[in-house]
């Protein structure tokens, strides 16, 4: 496009920040519009009492994506974001005291699994890692880094380089069923099935190709100095240095075509004009915002939404169980947990609980007694039709703390927790219903249903 034509980027989440940097790095004028008063989208910072802590993503992987983004814009990622590589990926716990750490070192993980469940399971883990790497390599360039291909086009792309790779993808198997071929121990199947939740899906419905996430973690997990939100701030600073005009606290309520460009009507009744528009929010929100333009977009149906969550950000003391930076406390009945969310639209009564101890390093060292804690459980994405009452949220917290106690962890919260439930996620990200990951990856065709980059409206 001509370099004198302004592009409006709606949403300063990670996609919007990356888009603004990429365009501005090519000399294109950009205005980046964000309805909140801080960048990052879900990579946000929240307050719990007088403490601030990450209230969204807590695990940083795929560093190469950010290094390439910054390098293309003439900047050094290493100089702008301070990282420390984690040696412990996560700690995992079950009722009764069973505990297992996974490490960045694959052989160290295999040794830990051998001690935990026997040599046969350790061998299964190494086979799983090998296959996960091959799935990742088959899909990295042909699918993940490409414009949305159809199934036939994807098959042709892979077949050109590795015909046998099509069969290794196991597209018609669920992640759960595929794991049976690697692990006899139900605890290990539960642990590695959890990768489906990284894209907001059930391991009993999501395709086995999601095992590639295990390979992504093995390529490196890092801790961001100052918290994950610092990454968003660093990206915003880079965008501004490239000439991007950033408008925070500015909400776009609708858009229209004006001549050869667009007019964006803001909540304060002003209008922003742009030659082209990139919307970096939920596709359902764009379908509503530009409904009169014939975009061809359809909102994601409620039954196709990904997981939502209830998140408690708090300050308190953790006693008993030795937390690592990332710790997962598994439910006793994994299938029931996902049936509750996806089939009945209910918050699980005995949930799996993820705890991020943000003042600890990856090994679990904690400098003080009271610390910043982030608790997350899965929930249905029905925040546009149901708001959990204070008593219901309280019951969910009681159920969560019971699960932690069953695994040996007792929490002593200090002050009020900052709570984000499905209705809050829906308010933060309109059109989503509270779904944190967009569309669920259920069924072998789900990945091909993701929205492409272009709408039916030229320039949008």
């Amino acid at each position: 496009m001509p370099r004198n034509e302004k592009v409006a980027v709606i949403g300063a989440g990670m996609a919007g920040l990356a888009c603004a940097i990429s365009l501005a790095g090519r000399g294109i004028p950009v205005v980046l519009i964000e309805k909140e008063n801080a960048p990052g989208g879900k990579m946000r910072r929240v307050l719990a009492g007088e403490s601030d802590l990450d209230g969204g993503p807590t695990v940083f992987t795929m560093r190469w994506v950010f290094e390439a983004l910054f390098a293309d814009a003439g900047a050094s990622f290493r100089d702008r974001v301070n990282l420390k590589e984690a040696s412990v990926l996560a700690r995992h716990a079950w009722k009764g005291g069973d505990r297992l750490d996974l490490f960045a070192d694959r052989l160290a993980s295999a040794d830990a699994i051998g001690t935990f469940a026997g040599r046969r399971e350790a061998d299964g883990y190494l086979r799983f890692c090998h296959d996960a790497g091959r799935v990742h390599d088959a899909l990295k360039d042909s699918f993940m880094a490409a414009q949305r291909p159809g199934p036939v086009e994807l098959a042709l792309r892979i077949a050109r380089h590795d015909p046998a790779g099509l069969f290794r993808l196991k597209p018609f198997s669920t992640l759960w069923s595929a794991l049976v071929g690697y692990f006899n121990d139900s605890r290990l199947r539960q642990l590695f099935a959890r990768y489906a939740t990284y894209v907001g899906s059930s391991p009993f419905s999501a395709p086995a190709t999601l095992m590639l996430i295990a390979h992504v973690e093995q390529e490196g997990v890092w801790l961001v100095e100052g918290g994950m939100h610092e990454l968003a701030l660093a990206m915003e600073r880079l965008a501004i240095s490239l000439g991007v005009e950033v408008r925070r606290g500015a909400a776009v309520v609708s858009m229209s075509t004006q001549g050869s460009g667009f007019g964006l009507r803001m909540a304060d009744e002003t209008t922003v004009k742009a030659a082209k528009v990139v919307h970096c929010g939920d596709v359902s929100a764009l379908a509503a915002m530009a409904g009169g333009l014939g975009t061809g977009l359809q909102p994601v149906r409620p039954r196709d939404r990904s997981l939502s969550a209830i998140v408690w950000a708090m300050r308190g003391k953790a006693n008993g169980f030795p937390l690592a930076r990332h710790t997962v406390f598994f439910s006793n009945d994994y299938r029931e947990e996902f049936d509750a969310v996806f089939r009945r639209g209910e918050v699980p009564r005995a949930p799996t609980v993820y705890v991020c101890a943000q003042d600890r390093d990856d090994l679990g060292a904690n400098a003080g007694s009271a610390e910043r804690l982030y608790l997350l459980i899965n929930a249905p994405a029905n925040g546009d039709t149901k708001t959990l009452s204070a008593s219901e949220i309280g019951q969910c917290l009681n159920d969560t703390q019971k699960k932690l106690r069953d695994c040996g962890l007792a929490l002593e919260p200090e002050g009020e927790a900052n709570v984000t439930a499905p209705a809050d996620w829906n308010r933060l990200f309109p059109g989503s219903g509270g779904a944190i990951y967009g569309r669920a990856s259920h069924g072998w065709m789900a990945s091909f249903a993701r929205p492409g980059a272009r709408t039916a409206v030229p320039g949008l």
Side-chain angles (χ1 to χ4, degrees), residues 60-61 84-92 101-112 125-126 129 195 214-223 326 362-363:
F60 182 65
T61 60
K84 177 187 177 184
E85 188 167 8
S87 59
V88 176
L89 301 181
R91 182 161 292 162
H92 307 86
D101 287 357
L102 287 186
F103 300 90
D105 183 327
R106 183 181 302 184
L107 294 180
S109 292
D111 287 343
Y125 168 73
L126 292 175
C129 291
Y195 287 122
H215 180 77
V216 168
E217 282 200 335
Q218 288 160 6
E219 286 193 318
V221 171
W222 286 268
L223 309 181
H326 307 291
D362 60 312
L363 300 175

mmCIF file of all heavy atoms in Angstrom, residues 60-61 84-92 101-112 125-126 129 195 214-223 326 362-363:
data_model
loop_
_atom_site.group_PDB
_atom_site.id
_atom_site.type_symbol
_atom_site.label_atom_id
_atom_site.label_comp_id
_atom_site.label_asym_id
_atom_site.label_seq_id
_atom_site.Cartn_x
_atom_site.Cartn_y
_atom_site.Cartn_z
ATOM 1 N N PHE A 60 5.965 -17.662 28.918
ATOM 2 C CA PHE A 60 6.520 -17.072 27.698
ATOM 3 C C PHE A 60 7.318 -18.117 26.937
ATOM 4 O O PHE A 60 8.308 -18.658 27.437
ATOM 5 C CB PHE A 60 7.414 -15.874 28.039
ATOM 6 C CG PHE A 60 7.981 -15.193 26.827
ATOM 7 C CD1 PHE A 60 7.144 -14.558 25.923
ATOM 8 C CD2 PHE A 60 9.339 -15.203 26.576
ATOM 9 C CE1 PHE A 60 7.659 -13.932 24.790
ATOM 10 C CE2 PHE A 60 9.869 -14.582 25.449
ATOM 11 C CZ PHE A 60 9.018 -13.946 24.554
ATOM 12 N N THR A 61 6.866 -18.414 25.688
ATOM 13 C CA THR A 61 7.553 -19.351 24.813
ATOM 14 C C THR A 61 7.701 -18.709 23.438
ATOM 15 O O THR A 61 7.341 -17.561 23.227
ATOM 16 C CB THR A 61 6.761 -20.669 24.676
ATOM 17 O OG1 THR A 61 5.470 -20.372 24.114
ATOM 18 C CG2 THR A 61 6.582 -21.352 26.025
ATOM 19 N N LYS A 84 14.912 -14.611 31.612
ATOM 20 C CA LYS A 84 15.701 -15.652 32.260
ATOM 21 C C LYS A 84 15.091 -16.988 31.880
ATOM 22 O O LYS A 84 13.887 -17.204 32.076
ATOM 23 C CB LYS A 84 15.697 -15.485 33.778
ATOM 24 C CG LYS A 84 16.445 -16.608 34.499
ATOM 25 C CD LYS A 84 16.292 -16.511 36.004
ATOM 26 C CE LYS A 84 16.978 -17.690 36.696
ATOM 27 N NZ LYS A 84 16.761 -17.660 38.165
ATOM 28 N N GLU A 85 15.893 -17.869 31.334
ATOM 29 C CA GLU A 85 15.370 -19.169 30.916
ATOM 30 C C GLU A 85 15.076 -20.035 32.137
ATOM 31 O O GLU A 85 15.874 -20.089 33.087
ATOM 32 C CB GLU A 85 16.348 -19.889 29.989
ATOM 33 C CG GLU A 85 15.754 -21.146 29.383
ATOM 34 C CD GLU A 85 16.570 -21.695 28.224
ATOM 35 O OE1 GLU A 85 17.681 -21.183 27.991
ATOM 36 O OE2 GLU A 85 16.080 -22.627 27.547
ATOM 37 N N ALA A 86 13.946 -20.702 32.117
ATOM 38 C CA ALA A 86 13.528 -21.561 33.232
ATOM 39 C C ALA A 86 14.068 -22.971 33.030
ATOM 40 O O ALA A 86 13.995 -23.519 31.926
ATOM 41 C CB ALA A 86 12.005 -21.593 33.323
ATOM 42 N N SER A 87 14.591 -23.557 34.099
ATOM 43 C CA SER A 87 15.037 -24.955 34.024
ATOM 44 C C SER A 87 13.897 -25.907 34.374
ATOM 45 O O SER A 87 13.848 -27.032 33.877
ATOM 46 C CB SER A 87 16.234 -25.181 34.953
ATOM 47 O OG SER A 87 15.893 -24.876 36.297
ATOM 48 N N VAL A 88 12.974 -25.457 35.235
ATOM 49 C CA VAL A 88 11.774 -26.237 35.561
ATOM 50 C C VAL A 88 10.611 -25.640 34.783
ATOM 51 O O VAL A 88 10.275 -24.468 34.955
ATOM 52 C CB VAL A 88 11.478 -26.199 37.071
ATOM 53 C CG1 VAL A 88 10.176 -26.936 37.373
ATOM 54 C CG2 VAL A 88 12.627 -26.825 37.857
ATOM 55 N N LEU A 89 9.984 -26.436 33.911
ATOM 56 C CA LEU A 89 8.858 -25.939 33.135
ATOM 57 C C LEU A 89 7.622 -25.783 34.009
ATOM 58 O O LEU A 89 6.934 -24.761 33.942
ATOM 59 C CB LEU A 89 8.550 -26.893 31.975
ATOM 60 C CG LEU A 89 9.696 -27.139 30.984
ATOM 61 C CD1 LEU A 89 9.233 -28.093 29.888
ATOM 62 C CD2 LEU A 89 10.185 -25.828 30.394
ATOM 63 N N ALA A 90 7.334 -26.790 34.820
ATOM 64 C CA ALA A 90 6.169 -26.726 35.704
ATOM 65 C C ALA A 90 6.238 -27.877 36.699
ATOM 66 O O ALA A 90 6.877 -28.907 36.450
ATOM 67 C CB ALA A 90 4.867 -26.797 34.909
ATOM 68 N N ARG A 91 5.560 -27.684 37.815
ATOM 69 C CA ARG A 91 5.377 -28.735 38.820
ATOM 70 C C ARG A 91 3.926 -29.199 38.727
ATOM 71 O O ARG A 91 3.018 -28.406 38.506
ATOM 72 C CB ARG A 91 5.702 -28.189 40.210
ATOM 73 C CG ARG A 91 5.601 -29.189 41.348
ATOM 74 C CD ARG A 91 6.387 -28.678 42.558
ATOM 75 N NE ARG A 91 7.820 -28.686 42.233
ATOM 76 C CZ ARG A 91 8.743 -27.997 42.914
ATOM 77 N NH1 ARG A 91 8.383 -27.234 43.935
ATOM 78 N NH2 ARG A 91 10.009 -28.059 42.570
ATOM 79 N N HIS A 92 3.696 -30.510 38.931
ATOM 80 C CA HIS A 92 2.360 -31.082 38.791
ATOM 81 C C HIS A 92 2.054 -31.906 40.031
ATOM 82 O O HIS A 92 2.925 -32.609 40.559
ATOM 83 C CB HIS A 92 2.284 -31.962 37.546
ATOM 84 C CG HIS A 92 2.752 -31.257 36.307
ATOM 85 N ND1 HIS A 92 4.086 -31.214 35.948
ATOM 86 C CD2 HIS A 92 2.079 -30.543 35.367
ATOM 87 C CE1 HIS A 92 4.216 -30.520 34.822
ATOM 88 N NE2 HIS A 92 3.012 -30.090 34.460
ATOM 89 N N ASP A 101 7.850 -32.974 38.471
ATOM 90 C CA ASP A 101 8.355 -31.802 37.772
ATOM 91 C C ASP A 101 8.733 -32.183 36.346
ATOM 92 O O ASP A 101 9.281 -33.267 36.096
ATOM 93 C CB ASP A 101 9.603 -31.240 38.463
ATOM 94 C CG ASP A 101 9.296 -30.537 39.777
ATOM 95 O OD1 ASP A 101 8.108 -30.427 40.122
ATOM 96 O OD2 ASP A 101 10.256 -30.111 40.444
ATOM 97 N N LEU A 102 8.446 -31.279 35.402
ATOM 98 C CA LEU A 102 8.976 -31.387 34.050
ATOM 99 C C LEU A 102 10.051 -30.329 33.876
ATOM 100 O O LEU A 102 9.907 -29.197 34.359
ATOM 101 C CB LEU A 102 7.883 -31.191 33.002
ATOM 102 C CG LEU A 102 6.875 -32.326 32.816
ATOM 103 C CD1 LEU A 102 5.967 -32.019 31.628
ATOM 104 C CD2 LEU A 102 7.562 -33.674 32.621
ATOM 105 N N PHE A 103 11.116 -30.691 33.155
ATOM 106 C CA PHE A 103 12.284 -29.837 33.034
ATOM 107 C C PHE A 103 12.504 -29.420 31.579
ATOM 108 O O PHE A 103 12.027 -30.067 30.645
ATOM 109 C CB PHE A 103 13.529 -30.578 33.537
ATOM 110 C CG PHE A 103 13.440 -30.996 34.974
ATOM 111 C CD1 PHE A 103 12.908 -32.231 35.320
ATOM 112 C CD2 PHE A 103 13.869 -30.156 35.993
ATOM 113 C CE1 PHE A 103 12.823 -32.633 36.649
ATOM 114 C CE2 PHE A 103 13.785 -30.538 37.326
ATOM 115 C CZ PHE A 103 13.258 -31.775 37.653
ATOM 116 N N ALA A 104 13.255 -28.345 31.409
ATOM 117 C CA ALA A 104 13.651 -27.938 30.069
ATOM 118 C C ALA A 104 14.541 -28.997 29.435
ATOM 119 O O ALA A 104 14.519 -29.190 28.221
ATOM 120 C CB ALA A 104 14.368 -26.591 30.120
ATOM 121 N N ASP A 105 15.303 -29.691 30.251
ATOM 122 C CA ASP A 105 16.148 -30.797 29.804
ATOM 123 C C ASP A 105 15.275 -32.042 29.653
ATOM 124 O O ASP A 105 14.760 -32.575 30.629
ATOM 125 C CB ASP A 105 17.265 -31.035 30.822
ATOM 126 C CG ASP A 105 18.240 -32.117 30.396
ATOM 127 O OD1 ASP A 105 17.835 -33.083 29.730
ATOM 128 O OD2 ASP A 105 19.427 -31.995 30.741
ATOM 129 N N ARG A 106 15.110 -32.508 28.422
ATOM 130 C CA ARG A 106 14.223 -33.639 28.144
ATOM 131 C C ARG A 106 14.634 -34.895 28.902
ATOM 132 O O ARG A 106 13.788 -35.634 29.421
ATOM 133 C CB ARG A 106 14.214 -33.917 26.638
ATOM 134 C CG ARG A 106 13.287 -35.025 26.205
ATOM 135 C CD ARG A 106 13.349 -35.241 24.711
ATOM 136 N NE ARG A 106 13.015 -34.039 23.960
ATOM 137 C CZ ARG A 106 12.930 -33.995 22.638
ATOM 138 N NH1 ARG A 106 13.157 -35.091 21.914
ATOM 139 N NH2 ARG A 106 12.618 -32.876 22.025
ATOM 140 N N LEU A 107 15.936 -35.159 28.993
ATOM 141 C CA LEU A 107 16.396 -36.361 29.685
ATOM 142 C C LEU A 107 16.153 -36.261 31.189
ATOM 143 O O LEU A 107 15.872 -37.277 31.846
ATOM 144 C CB LEU A 107 17.880 -36.598 29.393
ATOM 145 C CG LEU A 107 18.208 -36.933 27.931
ATOM 146 C CD1 LEU A 107 19.711 -37.157 27.760
ATOM 147 C CD2 LEU A 107 17.423 -38.164 27.463
ATOM 148 N N ALA A 108 16.249 -35.050 31.731
ATOM 149 C CA ALA A 108 15.934 -34.871 33.152
ATOM 150 C C ALA A 108 14.461 -35.165 33.403
ATOM 151 O O ALA A 108 14.094 -35.780 34.420
ATOM 152 C CB ALA A 108 16.281 -33.453 33.595
ATOM 153 N N SER A 109 13.594 -34.748 32.475
ATOM 154 C CA SER A 109 12.166 -35.061 32.606
ATOM 155 C C SER A 109 11.940 -36.560 32.516
ATOM 156 O O SER A 109 11.138 -37.128 33.262
ATOM 157 C CB SER A 109 11.358 -34.349 31.517
ATOM 158 O OG SER A 109 11.351 -32.956 31.715
ATOM 159 N N ALA A 110 12.639 -37.225 31.585
ATOM 160 C CA ALA A 110 12.483 -38.672 31.446
ATOM 161 C C ALA A 110 12.916 -39.386 32.722
ATOM 162 O O ALA A 110 12.246 -40.333 33.176
ATOM 163 C CB ALA A 110 13.300 -39.165 30.255
ATOM 164 N N ASP A 111 13.998 -38.926 33.334
ATOM 165 C CA ASP A 111 14.438 -39.530 34.592
ATOM 166 C C ASP A 111 13.398 -39.325 35.686
ATOM 167 O O ASP A 111 13.116 -40.237 36.474
ATOM 168 C CB ASP A 111 15.773 -38.927 35.029
ATOM 169 C CG ASP A 111 16.937 -39.410 34.174
ATOM 170 O OD1 ASP A 111 16.770 -40.426 33.471
ATOM 171 O OD2 ASP A 111 18.004 -38.760 34.198
ATOM 172 N N ALA A 112 12.834 -38.112 35.749
ATOM 173 C CA ALA A 112 11.817 -37.829 36.762
ATOM 174 C C ALA A 112 10.577 -38.697 36.545
ATOM 175 O O ALA A 112 9.986 -39.213 37.509
ATOM 176 C CB ALA A 112 11.446 -36.348 36.727
ATOM 177 N N TYR A 125 7.435 -41.348 27.226
ATOM 178 C CA TYR A 125 7.618 -39.895 27.180
ATOM 179 C C TYR A 125 8.600 -39.507 26.085
ATOM 180 O O TYR A 125 8.364 -38.548 25.329
ATOM 181 C CB TYR A 125 8.112 -39.404 28.537
ATOM 182 C CG TYR A 125 8.615 -37.979 28.520
ATOM 183 C CD1 TYR A 125 7.731 -36.909 28.417
ATOM 184 C CD2 TYR A 125 9.984 -37.701 28.573
ATOM 185 C CE1 TYR A 125 8.200 -35.594 28.379
ATOM 186 C CE2 TYR A 125 10.457 -36.406 28.544
ATOM 187 C CZ TYR A 125 9.562 -35.352 28.439
ATOM 188 O OH TYR A 125 10.025 -34.073 28.392
ATOM 189 N N LEU A 126 9.696 -40.225 25.957
ATOM 190 C CA LEU A 126 10.688 -39.893 24.934
ATOM 191 C C LEU A 126 10.111 -40.113 23.536
ATOM 192 O O LEU A 126 10.384 -39.331 22.616
ATOM 193 C CB LEU A 126 11.954 -40.727 25.140
ATOM 194 C CG LEU A 126 12.746 -40.385 26.415
ATOM 195 C CD1 LEU A 126 13.912 -41.352 26.591
ATOM 196 C CD2 LEU A 126 13.256 -38.948 26.370
ATOM 197 N N CYS A 129 7.857 -37.115 22.923
ATOM 198 C CA CYS A 129 8.629 -35.918 22.590
ATOM 199 C C CYS A 129 9.100 -35.963 21.144
ATOM 200 O O CYS A 129 9.054 -34.950 20.421
ATOM 201 C CB CYS A 129 9.840 -35.798 23.517
ATOM 202 S SG CYS A 129 9.425 -35.410 25.223
ATOM 203 N N TYR A 195 -2.252 -29.876 27.498
ATOM 204 C CA TYR A 195 -1.835 -28.969 26.431
ATOM 205 C C TYR A 195 -3.017 -28.506 25.580
ATOM 206 O O TYR A 195 -2.948 -27.448 24.953
ATOM 207 C CB TYR A 195 -0.765 -29.619 25.563
ATOM 208 C CG TYR A 195 0.579 -29.701 26.252
ATOM 209 C CD1 TYR A 195 1.221 -30.921 26.453
ATOM 210 C CD2 TYR A 195 1.207 -28.554 26.718
ATOM 211 C CE1 TYR A 195 2.448 -30.995 27.096
ATOM 212 C CE2 TYR A 195 2.429 -28.618 27.375
ATOM 213 C CZ TYR A 195 3.048 -29.841 27.559
ATOM 214 O OH TYR A 195 4.254 -29.909 28.206
ATOM 215 N N ALA A 214 3.870 -29.415 23.390
ATOM 216 C CA ALA A 214 4.913 -29.951 24.265
ATOM 217 C C ALA A 214 6.291 -29.632 23.698
ATOM 218 O O ALA A 214 7.220 -29.283 24.437
ATOM 219 C CB ALA A 214 4.735 -31.454 24.426
ATOM 220 N N HIS A 215 6.423 -29.737 22.399
ATOM 221 C CA HIS A 215 7.708 -29.431 21.763
ATOM 222 C C HIS A 215 8.044 -27.951 21.904
ATOM 223 O O HIS A 215 9.209 -27.589 22.127
ATOM 224 C CB HIS A 215 7.658 -29.822 20.286
ATOM 225 C CG HIS A 215 8.928 -29.543 19.549
ATOM 226 N ND1 HIS A 215 10.050 -30.336 19.654
ATOM 227 C CD2 HIS A 215 9.270 -28.520 18.706
ATOM 228 C CE1 HIS A 215 11.017 -29.833 18.915
ATOM 229 N NE2 HIS A 215 10.571 -28.736 18.328
ATOM 230 N N VAL A 216 7.043 -27.084 21.760
ATOM 231 C CA VAL A 216 7.257 -25.642 21.902
ATOM 232 C C VAL A 216 7.826 -25.335 23.286
ATOM 233 O O VAL A 216 8.773 -24.547 23.430
ATOM 234 C CB VAL A 216 5.947 -24.871 21.664
ATOM 235 C CG1 VAL A 216 6.088 -23.412 22.086
ATOM 236 C CG2 VAL A 216 5.541 -24.954 20.195
ATOM 237 N N GLU A 217 7.262 -25.949 24.327
ATOM 238 C CA GLU A 217 7.776 -25.709 25.683
ATOM 239 C C GLU A 217 9.201 -26.228 25.834
ATOM 240 O O GLU A 217 10.027 -25.605 26.502
ATOM 241 C CB GLU A 217 6.859 -26.350 26.721
ATOM 242 C CG GLU A 217 5.604 -25.570 26.991
ATOM 243 C CD GLU A 217 4.964 -25.936 28.315
ATOM 244 O OE1 GLU A 217 5.170 -27.060 28.806
ATOM 245 O OE2 GLU A 217 4.248 -25.083 28.872
ATOM 246 N N GLN A 218 9.481 -27.369 25.222
ATOM 247 C CA GLN A 218 10.827 -27.925 25.344
ATOM 248 C C GLN A 218 11.866 -27.068 24.631
ATOM 249 O O GLN A 218 13.053 -27.129 24.963
ATOM 250 C CB GLN A 218 10.845 -29.355 24.798
ATOM 251 C CG GLN A 218 10.128 -30.342 25.692
ATOM 252 C CD GLN A 218 9.730 -31.615 24.966
ATOM 253 O OE1 GLN A 218 10.090 -31.823 23.808
ATOM 254 N NE2 GLN A 218 8.995 -32.464 25.633
ATOM 255 N N GLU A 219 11.426 -26.254 23.680
ATOM 256 C CA GLU A 219 12.357 -25.346 23.015
ATOM 257 C C GLU A 219 12.706 -24.142 23.875
ATOM 258 O O GLU A 219 13.587 -23.375 23.529
ATOM 259 C CB GLU A 219 11.757 -24.876 21.685
ATOM 260 C CG GLU A 219 11.776 -25.927 20.600
ATOM 261 C CD GLU A 219 11.465 -25.335 19.241
ATOM 262 O OE1 GLU A 219 10.551 -24.486 19.154
ATOM 263 O OE2 GLU A 219 12.122 -25.728 18.262
ATOM 264 N N GLY A 220 11.983 -23.977 24.996
ATOM 265 C CA GLY A 220 12.333 -22.911 25.921
ATOM 266 C C GLY A 220 11.140 -22.213 26.538
ATOM 267 O O GLY A 220 10.194 -21.846 25.843
ATOM 268 N N VAL A 221 11.173 -22.082 27.846
ATOM 269 C CA VAL A 221 10.223 -21.271 28.608
ATOM 270 C C VAL A 221 11.053 -20.245 29.366
ATOM 271 O O VAL A 221 12.060 -20.586 29.990
ATOM 272 C CB VAL A 221 9.398 -22.130 29.589
ATOM 273 C CG1 VAL A 221 8.588 -21.242 30.519
ATOM 274 C CG2 VAL A 221 8.460 -23.072 28.827
ATOM 275 N N TRP A 222 10.631 -18.983 29.303
ATOM 276 C CA TRP A 222 11.391 -17.907 29.932
ATOM 277 C C TRP A 222 10.531 -17.149 30.939
ATOM 278 O O TRP A 222 9.301 -17.099 30.820
ATOM 279 C CB TRP A 222 11.897 -16.921 28.874
ATOM 280 C CG TRP A 222 13.031 -17.450 28.058
ATOM 281 C CD1 TRP A 222 14.366 -17.305 28.313
ATOM 282 C CD2 TRP A 222 12.945 -18.210 26.851
ATOM 283 N NE1 TRP A 222 15.109 -17.929 27.339
ATOM 284 C CE2 TRP A 222 14.266 -18.487 26.433
ATOM 285 C CE3 TRP A 222 11.868 -18.695 26.085
ATOM 286 C CZ2 TRP A 222 14.542 -19.232 25.288
ATOM 287 C CZ3 TRP A 222 12.151 -19.429 24.939
ATOM 288 C CH2 TRP A 222 13.468 -19.689 24.554
ATOM 289 N N LEU A 223 11.206 -16.561 31.908
ATOM 290 C CA LEU A 223 10.581 -15.638 32.851
ATOM 291 C C LEU A 223 10.938 -14.230 32.421
ATOM 292 O O LEU A 223 12.105 -13.919 32.174
ATOM 293 C CB LEU A 223 11.090 -15.904 34.279
ATOM 294 C CG LEU A 223 11.030 -17.349 34.783
ATOM 295 C CD1 LEU A 223 11.548 -17.421 36.212
ATOM 296 C CD2 LEU A 223 9.622 -17.904 34.692
ATOM 297 N N HIS A 326 5.403 -22.217 38.339
ATOM 298 C CA HIS A 326 4.183 -22.709 37.705
ATOM 299 C C HIS A 326 3.843 -24.074 38.294
ATOM 300 O O HIS A 326 4.654 -25.002 38.210
ATOM 301 C CB HIS A 326 4.370 -22.853 36.193
ATOM 302 C CG HIS A 326 4.873 -21.622 35.510
ATOM 303 N ND1 HIS A 326 4.111 -20.486 35.374
ATOM 304 C CD2 HIS A 326 6.066 -21.352 34.921
ATOM 305 C CE1 HIS A 326 4.807 -19.568 34.728
ATOM 306 N NE2 HIS A 326 5.999 -20.059 34.452
ATOM 307 N N ASP A 362 11.935 -20.233 38.914
ATOM 308 C CA ASP A 362 11.395 -21.478 38.380
ATOM 309 C C ASP A 362 11.593 -22.656 39.324
ATOM 310 O O ASP A 362 10.858 -23.644 39.265
ATOM 311 C CB ASP A 362 12.026 -21.785 37.015
ATOM 312 C CG ASP A 362 13.540 -21.927 37.085
ATOM 313 O OD1 ASP A 362 14.180 -21.057 37.694
ATOM 314 O OD2 ASP A 362 14.073 -22.897 36.521
ATOM 315 N N LEU A 363 12.579 -22.552 40.226
ATOM 316 C CA LEU A 363 12.829 -23.627 41.181
ATOM 317 C C LEU A 363 11.948 -23.532 42.422
ATOM 318 O O LEU A 363 11.913 -24.461 43.225
ATOM 319 C CB LEU A 363 14.305 -23.625 41.593
ATOM 320 C CG LEU A 363 15.308 -23.833 40.459
ATOM 321 C CD1 LEU A 363 16.736 -23.689 40.977
ATOM 322 C CD2 LEU A 363 15.105 -25.190 39.804
#
